[in-house]
Amino acid sequence: MSPAELALKKQDFVSDQEVRWCPGCGDYAILAAVQKLVPTLGIPKENFAFISGIGCSSRFPYYMNTYGFHTIHGRAPSVATGLKVSRPELSVWVVTGDGDALSIGGNHFIHAMRRNVDINVLLFNNRIYGLTKGQYSPTSEVGKKTKSTPYGSLDYPINSLTLALASEATFIARSYDVNTPHLIEVLKKAHEHKGVSFVEIYQNCNIFNDGAFKHLTDRTIRDDKILSLEHGKPMIFGKESNQGIVIRNNTPEVVTLGENGITEKDIEVHDEFGENPAITYMLTEMDHPKFPVPVGVFRKVEKPTYEHLFEKQVETVTQQKGKGNLEKLIHGSDTWEVK
Amino acid sequence: MSNAGLQSDAKKIQSSNPIPLEQLEHVTIRFAGDSGDGMQLTGNQFTNTSAFIGNDVSTFPDFPAEIRAPAGSLPGVSGFQIHFSSKDIRTAGDTPNVLVAMNPAALKVHLKDLEKGGMVIINSSAFTKPNLKKAGYETNPLEDKSLDSYRVFDIPLTKLNEDALSETSLSKKEIDRCKNFFALGIMYWLYDRPLEITLDWIEKKFKNKPEIIDANQKALKSGYYFGETSEIFTTHYHVDQAQLPQGTYRQVTGNRAIALGLVAGAQLAGKPLFYGSYPITPASDILHELSNYKNFDVRTFQAEDEIAAIGVALGASFGGHLGVTGTSGPGVALKAEFMGLAVMTELPLVIVNVMRAGPSTGMPTKTEQTDLFQALYGRNGECPMVVLAPSTPSDCFTISIEAMRIATKYMVPVIILSDNTLANGAEPWKIPHVDEFPKFEVNHLVEANNFLPYQRNEKTLARPWVAPGTKGLEHRIGGIEKQDLTGNVSYDPQNHEKMIRLRAEKVQRVAQEIAPLEISGPEKGDTLLVGWGSTYGAIASAADQLREEGLSVSNIHIRHLSPLPSDLGDIMKRFKNVIIAECNTGQLRQVIRGTYLVDAKGINKIQGQPLKISEIKSKVKEMI
């Protein structure tokens, strides 16, 4: 159905529940972006399901006036998979956080990625445990001082995009909470992609990890710190649009246009459909402060979805064997009569 | 093929045979060999043939967890026990009358179970020095007179089989693989069974491999003729058809019956079945079986772990399918949190636990009833669930349908507690007609004026099942405490207690579905023997025999462990002694004592082996 026929508005997706995130939390902006996007997708409201795990972000479904399931810590991908595989016509979204998806739910995360079920996984990454009041998370930087690591955390952080890529996710993207137009555009593409779509959303926790992404939000510096990936366009960034990424000896480098004879044609052109994951990998590893932070769609490749193959197998077997006859099944092939 | 025809074929062979045929009422044989020797297959073939010619049969496979432990070693021994009879039997037999030992290790492991004076058929070709050493024999039991109290038939099976197949083009190794059929052939002659069932089976099994078909069939026949002509045996035996109720029968194991029951239940409900599972012994066969039934609107999903397996099943239930997950105890431990979520969100879900010996990894291929407490209490918070336990392999079928009916009618998760004895044990099953089972209507709410996700049915307390995609009934569910009626998040103290009590009451109301308990023996008297699950056969047989001996012993078997049947308390009051027999340290006993203040005593065995009739009988006599 067309969006016009459905005539849905943002307000239709606002539930009657009072939103209870801390004032100033980045989650508000993400919720607003999603509520703004979904009426435009041409999908009846009743066909949306938002599934979450545990954590601040996982309260999300309560605020969406759609079908929703607030499940248990780390396990949302499994519930979403069961729902999508049994009801492929639904638009299924997983809302998770860095602890939920990458720590307690790490196993489900990688399997959701590799199976390519057509669900959209939104990971709100604030690099901290908010709901349990401020312990370091698997995406916290080394040396992070928190309640559970007063002398600094020792473990190296995990990179969700790299993990998704290694798990062969077919759609990988990143956006951030305060840039609503960008976020909406990325989420729209995630929705349009047939197969698993993974979107990391940098989200500020103003209580326990305020300013974690300041480099992306501070107006005075952000243009020099963000690389907006666009398919088919050279990777140019900077306030003056005069910096770019080149890849030399399999290593990305930041260069300045006009210096050392660098021109636009030397700059690496982004190919989100690229079959070779090596360049995508380099992009996922690029991070502040050495590099600008890439945002946008990193990778989008086509592969049959799990639920499609699943249904096809059911159909093929049913065609070959005929619709199952329960009486015959129970009877089996080796029987005897007692008279 | 009709069994009458086979019987007459058997008679023909018989009439040309001068060796006398002795009638027996029932026989228990144990086949034992290396895990690679095909003992499970041999036992299954013997069972199929025995069932086909009309005996009542009951089996108990006993195999190691190792797929192939070192050949000839004690841990590698695999056993299969079959009890076949001309009378109604309920167990795989306490004590084998006959042991077929394919190597010294098999003899070493199983001889202690054989009845004194019992028959041992030994593959003497395998009694080599290295094999004896591997089995820990210092001297050869075939020579040191240690077997003098048994009737020993040492037959060089490997050698005879090689000779019989010397003309084939098969390699020595391939020929050796046929020796179990040679042994089976001997047993078919010894117990007067026809060859046709197995000959047919071989033909189907090795379709497109004519030389393998030939060799196996030849091995089987050669074994048979060897029995007949070698003059080693001075008698052979016949066990008549049992007088089973009229009807069409098949053999069924508990795992297969659960799979069939789940398919039947889903069809009766008119809903697709979604089975999420992670491979685990002894439950994997349910997954294997169901994965064949895609044309029955059955979807199977092998998940990344036990937790995801129940997660996908619950997701499917949320979506309006019948979600089921199957596992064993260690898997249930991992699923506990999701079971709590199913209780909280009041969605239908069936969790099958095929119990094995624990704790921890325990003894994965051995049987036990030690997960009752886990089923009743193994979750955080006040989290009661419906728990059912089938009593025989074929009851696994009935109870699976019942589990689905209860889950959908009351909107609750339901646990089925099967165990390894039921799962792998087989019995003849009088095949039910599909139309004998009442359809149960599963209705999704599709429209409502003032929709309240937690508004309840007065009789069942079930909340409405609304599948996503239903216009106008969008709602959210989750694991946080629900406000009564609306299902909204609530931390209100009074509401919390109300919801705890409502969820418990809902489970209790399932008792209205339970038929009155059947009491075998006097309605009141001295002793009531109580059991649940796979101990049914042994308990019922023991009680029968004790009554025949003139004792006042009645017995009941509980299939509903939560909620308990409403007449249980009254029944127990009518007896002086209540004795609960179970394969654990007394879990049901503790529940009964706690619930009814009844001074119940226990018969308990925790050895990874089923209770025997004789064990129950002697304990009961000691206790009363």
Side-chain angles (χ1 to χ4, degrees):
Chain A
M1 226 182 278
S2 79
E5 281 171 300
L6 286 165
L8 288 164
K9 299 178 297 298
K10 180 183 174 194
Q11 204 50 37
D12 294 317
F13 287 89
V14 176
S15 82
D16 60 356
Q17 295 299 292
E18 200 184 325
V19 184
R20 293 193 184 187
W21 288 309
C22 308
C25 175
D27 289 354
Y28 283 94
I30 305 172
L31 176 64
V34 172
Q35 285 170 334
K36 212 166 154 188
L37 167 71
V38 287
T40 68
L41 298 178
I43 295 173
K45 193 171 71 162
E46 62 271 19
N47 281 359
F48 284 102
F50 283 81
I51 318 290
S52 64
I54 294 291
C56 295
S57 60
S58 290
R59 295 296 180 98
F60 197 95
Y62 289 121
Y63 310 135
M64 292 292 298
N65 190 16
T66 62
Y67 285 92
F69 201 159
H70 180 212
T71 72
I72 52 177
H73 208 2
R75 321 299 174 201
S78 65
V79 175
T81 298
L83 179 62
K84 181 69 184 178
V85 172
S86 55
R87 299 286 307 281
E89 75 278 18
L90 300 175
S91 176
V92 178
W93 300 64
V94 170
V95 179
T96 181
D98 37 324
D100 193 55
L102 304 173
S103 222
I104 195 167
N107 194 33
H108 309 303
F109 179 80
I110 59 176
H111 289 278
M113 294 301 126
R114 61 114 176 159
R115 261 189 209 110
N116 201 35
V117 180
D118 185 15
I119 55 177
N120 309 307
V121 179
L122 317 185
L123 190 160
F124 299 8
N125 183 3
N126 56 13
R127 297 189 168 159
I128 198 76
Y129 282 171
L131 197 65
T132 50
K133 301 193 171 53
Q135 300 82 6
Y136 78 114
S137 95
T139 56
S140 296
E141 61 279 12
V142 176
K144 184 102 184 155
K145 287 193 176 166
T146 70
K147 280 179 184 158
S148 62
T149 51
Y151 303 108
S153 64
L154 302 173
D155 29 348
Y156 303 108
I158 196 166
N159 178 332
S160 71
L161 295 181
T162 313
L163 184 61
L165 181 67
S167 311
E168 310 216 12
T170 52
F171 181 97
I172 298 170
R174 178 190 283 145
S175 188
Y176 52 115
D177 50 8
V178 295
N179 189 344
T180 305
H182 186 268
L183 181 54
I184 289 181
E185 193 192 320
V186 166
L187 293 179
K188 187 164 198 261
K189 285 182 179 165
H191 161 77
E192 285 162 357
H193 175 68
K194 292 282 161 246
V196 71
S197 304
F198 174 66
V199 184
E200 178 184 47
I201 304 169
Y202 283 153
Q203 169 247 325
N204 190 43
C205 172
N206 57 323
I207 304 295
F208 295 108
N209 203 18
D210 195 24
F213 306 105
K214 206 171 166 211
H215 48 290
L216 304 184
T217 54
D218 184 334
R219 281 168 207 276
T220 59
I221 55 166
R222 67 181 182 198
D223 290 341
D224 288 331
K225 302 298 177 190
I226 297 177
L227 168 64
S228 189
L229 298 172
E230 283 180 64
H231 177 70
K233 300 250 173 88
M235 298 180 195
I236 292 176
F237 67 100
K239 205 179 277 179
E240 315 289 336
S241 293
N242 63 345
Q243 301 191 71
I245 302 294
V246 296
I247 295 176
R248 291 187 188 131
N249 301 323
N250 296 324
T251 312
E253 268 177 47
V254 175
V255 294
T256 306
L257 290 158
E259 280 180 14
N260 302 321
I262 297 280
T263 65
E264 196 179 308
K265 67 178 185 339
D266 298 316
I267 305 296
E268 185 72 20
V269 173
H270 181 50
D271 178 10
E272 61 188 32
F273 310 119
E275 288 290 333
N276 178 1
I279 294 169
T280 318
Y281 179 78
M282 282 179 220
L283 288 173
T284 64
E285 287 282 287
M286 280 165 49
D287 203 359
H288 178 74
K290 195 177 169 195
F291 289 101
V293 176
V295 298
V297 178
F298 286 61
R299 169 180 160 95
K300 182 185 181 344
V301 294
E302 299 295 328
K303 234 192 225 181
T305 66
Y306 180 85
E307 71 276 12
H308 171 73
L309 297 172
F310 197 90
E311 277 310 302
K312 221 168 102 180
Q313 194 171 57
V314 170
E315 275 170 32
T316 312
V317 174
T318 309
Q319 256 173 22
Q320 282 164 0
K321 294 187 171 177
K323 186 95 187 120
N325 177 319
L326 185 61
E327 190 91 41
K328 271 192 195 156
L329 177 72
I330 295 173
H331 214 262
S333 50
D334 295 317
T335 61
W336 66 94
E337 296 292 330
V338 172
K339 287 177 187 138
Chain B
M1 209 185 311
S2 89
N3 60 330
L6 282 163
Q7 284 286 65
S8 63
D9 286 347
K11 291 246 166 61
K12 260 183 244 156
I13 298 169
Q14 202 191 97
S15 60
S16 64
N17 191 328
I19 299 176
L21 189 67
E22 190 182 312
Q23 290 284 337
L24 294 174
E25 188 184 289
H26 61 95
V27 179
T28 300
I29 300 177
R30 189 178 294 172
F31 293 93
D34 239 10
S35 352
D37 280 342
M39 288 299 99
Q40 302 304 318
L41 190 158
T42 309
N44 275 317
Q45 283 305 309
F46 196 96
T47 310
N48 281 344
T49 295
S50 301
F52 205 91
I53 61 172
N55 293 140
D56 196 1
V57 294
S58 179
T59 68
F60 181 64
D62 187 11
F63 43 81
E66 294 80 6
I67 302 301
R68 290 279 166 92
S73 69
L74 297 175
V77 173
S78 170
F80 188 102
Q81 185 164 313
I82 167 172
H83 183 193
F84 55 106
S85 170
S86 58
K87 287 217 168 134
D88 183 20
I89 50 168
R90 303 192 189 99
T91 74
D94 276 11
T95 314
N97 313 109
V98 186
L99 172 64
V100 179
M102 297 299 280
N103 67 7
L107 183 69
K108 181 97 175 189
V109 171
H110 290 289
L111 186 68
K112 62 179 187 306
D113 296 334
L114 188 65
E115 70 173 1
K116 280 282 167 269
M119 194 190 291
V120 202
I121 294 168
I122 286 175
N123 174 16
S124 56
S125 314
F127 278 60
T128 59
K129 272 217 172 107
N131 278 350
L132 288 163
K133 202 175 155 202
K134 275 188 226 165
Y137 279 117
E138 308 220 324
T139 55
N140 188 345
L142 298 179
E143 293 159 4
D144 65 8
K145 302 192 181 241
S146 61
L147 300 175
D148 277 4
S149 53
Y150 302 97
R151 285 187 291 151
V152 178
F153 299 89
D154 53 333
I155 302 169
L157 279 168
T158 311
K159 171 84 175 47
L160 289 169
N161 178 61
E162 263 173 35
D163 292 348
L165 303 184
S166 60
E167 309 273 282
T168 64
S169 59
L170 300 183
S171 69
K172 199 168 170 201
K173 206 171 159 190
E174 286 171 314
I175 288 176
D176 192 56
R177 272 198 215 122
C178 302
K179 69 173 182 294
N180 58 330
F181 282 110
F182 193 96
L184 183 61
I186 296 178
M187 298 311 284
Y188 277 172
W189 175 78
L190 194 58
Y191 290 96
D192 193 30
R193 331 253 98 185
L195 301 177
E196 281 74 2
I197 309 283
T198 300
L199 291 173
D200 279 358
W201 182 87
I202 292 171
E203 207 154 317
K204 273 186 214 149
K205 173 80 184 173
F206 301 106
K207 199 166 71 183
N208 306 327
K209 291 181 191 155
E211 61 282 20
I212 305 277
I213 295 178
D214 263 10
N216 280 320
Q217 292 189 335
K218 199 162 181 198
L220 183 74
K221 288 180 190 162
S222 305
Y224 191 99
Y225 298 134
F226 173 81
E228 188 179 34
T229 55
S230 67
E231 299 183 0
I232 285 186
F233 300 102
T234 51
T235 317
H236 67 151
Y237 305 92
H238 183 78
V239 174
D240 258 343
Q241 274 186 289
Q243 290 305 308
L244 297 169
Q246 217 179 53
T248 308
Y249 283 76
R250 66 173 283 180
Q251 241 209 95
V252 78
T253 61
N255 270 350
R256 176 161 289 169
I258 284 185
L260 294 174
L262 292 174
V263 178
Q267 299 239 322
L268 291 168
K271 305 254 32 168
L273 171 67
F274 194 101
Y275 188 77
S277 193
Y278 183 77
I280 185 169
T281 303
S284 304
D285 280 341
I286 303 173
L287 172 63
H288 304 164
E289 190 81 14
L290 286 172
S291 60
N292 283 310
Y293 303 153
K294 298 209 186 310
N295 55 330
F296 286 84
D297 223 359
V298 171
R299 283 148 179 79
T300 55
F301 186 93
Q302 183 175 314
E304 60 268 26
D305 59 27
E306 292 283 359
I307 302 173
I310 185 171
V312 292
L314 190 63
S317 285
F318 178 55
H321 286 211
L322 288 178
V324 181
T325 186
T327 185
S328 188
V332 175
L334 289 165
K335 293 178 197 297
E337 193 185 4
F338 253 127
M339 287 157 71
L341 183 66
V343 167
M344 199 71 161
T345 53
E346 305 188 32
L347 285 168
L349 184 71
V350 175
I351 300 112
V352 181
N353 177 359
V354 185
M355 292 181 288
R356 64 190 216 187
S360 188
T361 306
M363 302 193 288
T365 58
K366 306 298 171 194
T367 195
E368 221 161 73
Q369 297 180 294
T370 40
D371 296 344
L372 176 59
F373 281 170
Q374 184 193 39
L376 294 174
Y377 313 123
R379 291 162 295 281
N380 62 304
E382 293 276 353
C383 197
M385 285 177 64
V386 176
V387 182
L388 312 178
S391 49
T392 63
S394 57
D395 190 31
C396 289
F397 176 82
T398 318
I399 225 150
S400 299
I401 296 176
E402 188 176 352
M404 283 186 153
R405 191 167 49 76
I406 292 171
T408 50
K409 186 168 173 184
Y410 289 81
M411 293 291 281
V412 285
V414 177
I415 297 176
I416 298 176
L417 281 182
S418 177
D419 67 22
N420 191 43
T421 309
L422 296 172
N424 290 307
E427 65 172 357
W429 178 35
K430 184 167 177 261
I431 302 168
H433 290 289
V434 177
D435 41 19
E436 285 170 16
F437 293 97
K439 285 208 161 144
F440 47 99
E441 237 165 76
V442 176
N443 289 320
H444 291 291
L445 188 68
V446 290
E447 56 180 331
N449 278 334
N450 295 307
F451 170 58
L452 292 168
Y454 278 72
Q455 191 162 43
R456 295 171 189 283
N457 176 294
E458 273 178 28
K459 188 161 179 274
T460 61
L461 297 182
R463 72 177 192 90
W465 191 7
V466 180
T470 311
K471 196 176 165 68
L473 304 188
E474 296 84 0
H475 66 287
R476 276 68 55 196
I477 56 173
I480 305 187
E481 184 58 283
K482 303 273 156 285
Q483 188 180 46
D484 189 21
L485 303 173
T486 65
N488 289 334
V489 170
S490 169
Y491 282 75
D492 178 75
Q494 299 304 324
N495 177 75
H496 176 53
E497 181 159 341
K498 183 176 186 187
M499 293 304 280
I500 292 281
R501 294 191 186 284
L502 269 173
R503 288 187 289 262
E505 170 64 15
K506 191 157 84 144
V507 170
Q508 279 310 313
R509 295 244 181 135
V510 172
Q512 63 199 0
E513 303 288 322
I514 307 175
L517 283 164
E518 275 178 43
I519 307 172
S520 303
E523 296 278 311
K524 58 181 176 181
D526 289 345
T527 301
L528 179 69
L529 203 44
V530 181
W532 64 280
S534 66
T535 51
Y536 168 73
I539 293 174
S541 303
D544 270 354
Q545 292 175 19
L546 289 166
R547 282 193 291 274
E548 277 167 29
E549 291 172 26
L551 295 171
S552 165
V553 175
S554 303
N555 65 290
I556 53 172
H557 212 70
I558 302 177
R559 295 167 74 249
H560 304 80
L561 294 154
S562 168
L564 287 162
S566 31
D567 53 349
L568 177 61
D570 286 339
I571 292 173
M572 288 189 297
K573 275 187 206 149
R574 306 205 291 256
F575 293 86
K576 273 193 269 181
N577 312 300
V578 173
I579 299 175
I580 300 174
E582 48 189 333
C583 290
N584 58 42
T585 54
Q587 298 187 10
L588 179 64
R589 178 162 37 109
Q590 201 165 316
V591 172
I592 298 266
R593 291 173 76 108
T595 311
Y596 300 100
L597 291 176
V598 166
D599 186 17
K601 302 282 191 297
I603 296 176
N604 303 94
K605 179 177 181 182
I606 323 102
Q607 299 169 7
Q609 299 290 333
L611 270 166
K612 292 179 179 177
I613 300 169
S614 55
E615 289 167 341
I616 298 172
K617 278 176 68 182
S618 63
K619 285 271 171 59
V620 168
K621 284 178 185 166
E622 277 169 31
M623 292 164 89
I624 57 176

